[in-house]
Amino acid sequence: MSEPGALAFMRRLREGLDSGLELPEALGRGAVALPGEARDTLEHVLRRLEGDNEDDEWGFDEDFADLVEPFFGFLYDRWWRVKVEGAHRVPAHGRVLLVSNHAGILPWDATMISVALLREHPLPRHPRFLVLNWAFDLPWISAFIRKVGGVVASPYNALRLLEQDHLVAVFPEGVKGTGKPFAERYRLQRFGRGGFVEIALRAGAPIVPVAVVGSEEIYPKLGDLPAVARALGAPFFPVTPTFPWLGPLGAVPLPSKWRIEFCEPIATAHYGPDAASDRGLVLELTDQVRETVQQAVYANLVRRGAAFV
Amino acid sequence: MEADTVVHNSIVRQPGPGMSARAMHDINVIGSLQLLSACGQAPTIRAIVIRGSAGIYGAEPHAPQFFGEEMTRLFPLRTRFQRDVAEIENYFETYSRRHPDITCTMLRYQPAIGPSLATQITRYLSQPACPTYLGFDPRIQLVHEDDALDSLVAAIRRPVRGAVNVAARGTIGLARMIRMAHRPLLPIAGPLFGPIVGAGRRVGLDSYSDDFRRLLRYGRGVDIGRLEGELGHRPRYSTVEAVRQWAAA
């Protein structure tokens, strides 16, 4: 998919939406502008949105996730030119908790971590994500997120997924990370109260710190419109150089250059599940993970060089 | 012969035609209260089993995918039915504390489905078209009628204290469930859903309780570890199998 193709697609999608079509139909119209392969994929996806499918108790639909992969693959290869380090450090089997920094308003970083693991890991598997709660109150988005492996950010969900030996990704900065202004980029926010460490301890899952560089530049957040956010029930309403000025086009992320580093796993099984109630240990591990991610972010920032070229 | 176990099986889940919310409240709450006080006067009773509802957890966008028995207080009680069920559970819990010699079991049932049942969910799936919330595909968890009955039998044979969730294994997406019932989906935008199904009721279609509407929007799952481990009943049907069997019948 060439970049002019992508632009033509977005333009036609916009026209379709403006003329009052439903989103799926508008996507179908827009697809005419795409090259054959991408068009096939998109049509396949639209068919499957209505067709029968197999999924697990969480609503994760592996076929669906594989079908939308080419779209994220395009972003991964061409748009953000992602470089990955240390994917082999993620254990290939059993329960694992990935802990990453979080930025960029929409959860693109989660999707890129997923593609990175599927592409670079010797034994790839689909990670599951804990997704910000308010997304599950939104039409389409809630259904889509579930199909690709997202679950409500609840400690009960994280624990159950780990007990089922899944690969689980969490973003402890939460909305503090996605909603911070551009000037504070790459400075990690507080990692909650360490709830993710408690869960890892209780499940005996190793923690793999993940540093993502590049996600901070995709939507440089210049300001915030709290009144609009309140009206929409959203945690914040960002103002970026393109949003909301260009309408839906403003949601197209800028093509920054990305690096993702998976750090050495931190074992937790030897502490035993009772250690989850040891506040001192939990805070200590939380700080250790946060510090690891922060250092890896700085190191990769230097290695990446210029943000966009 | 003396009775040693009482099973309360007549909590109304949805007001029938001509039944007011008030009448439903009377039957559910006051009726359960009277039953419990009657049990207090029967000295041979050793166990009381109530067939309650997983509706007590509600249906919430931010809920954990699977409610454990201890998670009734994560969210406020939003509907009248939820408040009624919570009230019954509170009385029952107090009663259980005051009568330590009686084993009080509260079974929290997910909606049941099966060829011999006429429940809200089977009526919903039998309509000419099934209204859904546009853009939402919630995870629904049901229980097959055979498993519903067997769980009740298991609770009578081996009474345990406190609440136990009763449901089939796994969940199913609402859209897939409707497709398996060979019905067309009728997606309706959120704000129009209430008025449209309300108009449907006036022309004689099935009415939707607030609980059922929230279920259609957000879905609900429960954890059945206690049912399998402590009551010792492993459900024979998964949710998908229960729907498939119902659709084939």
Side-chain angles (χ1 to χ4, degrees):
Chain A
M1 191 154 78
S2 62
E3 282 176 35
L7 287 175
F9 167 65
M10 291 310 293
R11 187 169 49 76
R12 295 188 69 107
L13 173 61
R14 177 90 198 274
E15 285 166 4
L17 286 171
D18 286 347
S19 60
L21 292 175
E22 280 290 355
L23 182 62
E25 211 180 321
L27 276 171
R29 294 270 182 99
V32 178
L34 297 177
E37 206 178 308
R39 189 162 63 220
D40 285 349
T41 308
L42 190 62
E43 277 167 4
H44 206 153
V45 168
L46 289 173
R47 248 201 327 277
R48 282 192 43 87
L49 272 171
E50 294 303 322
D52 211 357
N53 51 290
E54 292 291 328
D55 46 21
D56 70 359
E57 62 173 26
W58 301 92
F60 171 66
D61 183 343
E62 189 165 353
D63 287 348
F64 182 84
D66 287 341
L67 270 171
V68 296
E69 202 273 341
F71 169 68
F72 295 114
F74 161 78
L75 290 175
Y76 182 91
D77 289 328
R78 313 259 183 95
W79 198 255
W80 287 318
R81 297 145 287 162
V82 183
K83 292 251 181 344
V84 178
E85 246 176 84
H88 63 278
R89 295 189 189 124
V90 178
H93 302 285
R95 50 193 75 177
V96 181
L97 190 66
L98 301 177
V99 180
S100 168
N101 60 318
H102 196 21
I105 302 173
L106 296 176
W108 293 113
D109 39 8
T111 63
M112 288 304 110
I113 289 174
S114 182
V115 178
L117 283 170
L118 292 175
R119 294 264 179 103
E120 311 284 337
H121 198 278
L123 286 168
R125 54 176 164 161
H126 285 276
R128 306 303 178 89
F129 304 97
L130 265 61
V131 179
L132 205 58
N133 287 347
W134 70 282
F136 287 92
D137 219 349
L138 302 174
W140 293 296
I141 294 175
S142 59
F144 180 84
I145 288 176
R146 254 197 221 103
K147 276 177 195 286
V148 297
V151 300
V152 171
S154 152
Y156 301 110
N157 282 345
L159 191 60
R160 190 181 172 101
L161 281 167
L162 286 176
E163 282 169 351
Q164 292 171 349
D165 285 330
H166 283 297
L167 177 61
V168 182
V170 297
F171 302 89
E173 287 175 278
V175 81
K176 297 190 296 295
T178 52
K180 72 186 166 197
F182 190 59
E184 285 174 35
R185 59 192 180 279
Y186 297 120
R187 250 173 276 156
L188 264 60
Q189 303 295 301
R190 179 163 56 80
F191 267 18
R193 286 170 222 93
F196 70 95
V197 172
E198 281 177 39
I199 290 157
L201 285 169
R202 204 167 308 155
I207 297 173
V208 178
V210 182
V212 180
V213 163
S215 53
E216 298 270 17
E217 285 94 5
I218 61 177
Y219 299 118
K221 182 176 162 239
L222 306 175
D224 199 350
L225 297 176
V228 182
R230 263 198 305 280
L232 294 175
F236 55 87
F237 188 86
V239 177
T240 72
T242 54
F243 188 84
W245 326 117
L246 300 182
L249 264 181
V252 175
L254 299 182
S256 54
K257 222 160 57 181
W258 283 40
R259 291 181 73 91
I260 300 177
E261 182 174 355
F262 297 91
C263 306
E264 281 301 332
I266 300 168
T268 63
H270 59 282
Y271 294 110
D274 294 335
S277 47
D278 179 348
R279 290 310 300 168
L281 177 67
V282 168
L283 289 178
E284 192 184 308
L285 281 173
T286 308
D287 279 348
Q288 187 192 339
V289 174
R290 188 175 174 280
E291 203 45 42
T292 309
V293 175
Q294 180 73 78
Q295 292 310 324
V297 162
Y298 286 149
N300 281 287
L301 210 47
V302 173
R303 260 175 261 162
R304 180 187 68 166
F308 287 96
V309 287
Chain B
M1 200 170 128
E2 285 172 335
D4 58 3
T5 304
V6 173
V7 179
H8 179 12
N9 189 26
S10 37
I11 285 175
V12 183
R13 277 131 226 283
Q14 198 213 353
M19 185 192 275
S20 66
R22 183 71 176 274
M24 183 167 134
H25 171 83
D26 283 354
I27 293 174
N28 285 350
V29 179
I30 311 298
S32 303
L33 248 172
Q34 284 170 342
L35 179 70
L36 287 181
S37 75
C39 289
Q41 287 155 27
T44 58
I45 302 285
R46 286 291 150 266
I48 304 174
V49 180
I50 299 186
R51 189 165 85 89
S53 170
I56 190 175
Y57 302 115
E60 301 282 341
H62 307 164
Q65 195 103 350
F66 297 93
F67 281 97
E69 280 84 357
E70 74 286 3
M71 301 180 200
T72 50
R73 303 204 189 277
L74 291 186
F75 302 97
L77 302 167
R78 296 188 203 274
T79 68
R80 179 142 197 174
F81 179 69
Q82 260 184 293
R83 285 192 292 272
D84 284 357
V85 175
E87 217 174 325
I88 298 170
E89 290 214 2
N90 281 341
Y91 284 131
F92 198 39
E93 231 179 276
T94 316
Y95 186 89
S96 168
R97 268 202 306 276
R98 290 205 187 129
H99 300 81
D101 49 325
I102 300 180
T103 310
C104 296
T105 312
M106 173 57 84
L107 298 178
R108 294 193 186 133
Y109 275 77
Q110 283 282 34
I113 191 171
S116 70
L117 291 178
T119 62
Q120 178 125 50
I121 200 90
T122 59
R123 282 196 302 273
Y124 173 77
L125 291 175
S126 307
Q127 299 174 103
C130 300
T132 60
Y133 281 92
L134 181 67
F136 285 87
D137 188 20
R139 305 303 298 177
I140 305 283
Q141 189 184 34
L142 305 170
V143 57
H144 189 272
E145 57 180 14
D146 293 351
D147 285 316
L149 194 61
D150 289 349
S151 306
L152 198 57
V153 173
I156 295 165
R157 292 232 173 95
R158 199 201 293 192
V160 298
R161 244 164 236 291
V164 180
N165 293 330
V166 179
R169 271 170 289 113
T171 59
I172 187 171
L174 178 65
R176 186 174 173 213
M177 181 167 83
I178 296 170
R179 280 195 305 272
M180 283 171 74
H182 307 296
R183 290 288 183 277
L185 281 97
L186 179 64
I188 301 171
L192 298 177
F193 194 88
I196 288 178
V197 300
R201 195 187 55 201
R202 255 167 265 130
V203 300
L205 294 176
D206 206 18
S207 68
Y208 291 43
S209 64
D210 291 348
D211 303 82
F212 193 60
R213 268 189 228 165
R214 291 186 65 85
L215 190 70
L216 290 182
R217 186 162 186 159
Y218 300 122
R220 170 179 65 238
V222 298
D223 176 66
I224 54 168
R226 236 193 140 196
L227 174 71
E228 296 186 324
E230 292 182 44
L231 281 192
H233 176 66
R234 277 191 65 85
R236 273 175 287 159
Y237 293 86
S238 71
T239 300
V240 175
E241 287 159 2
V243 175
R244 188 172 292 139
Q245 202 242 10
W246 177 83

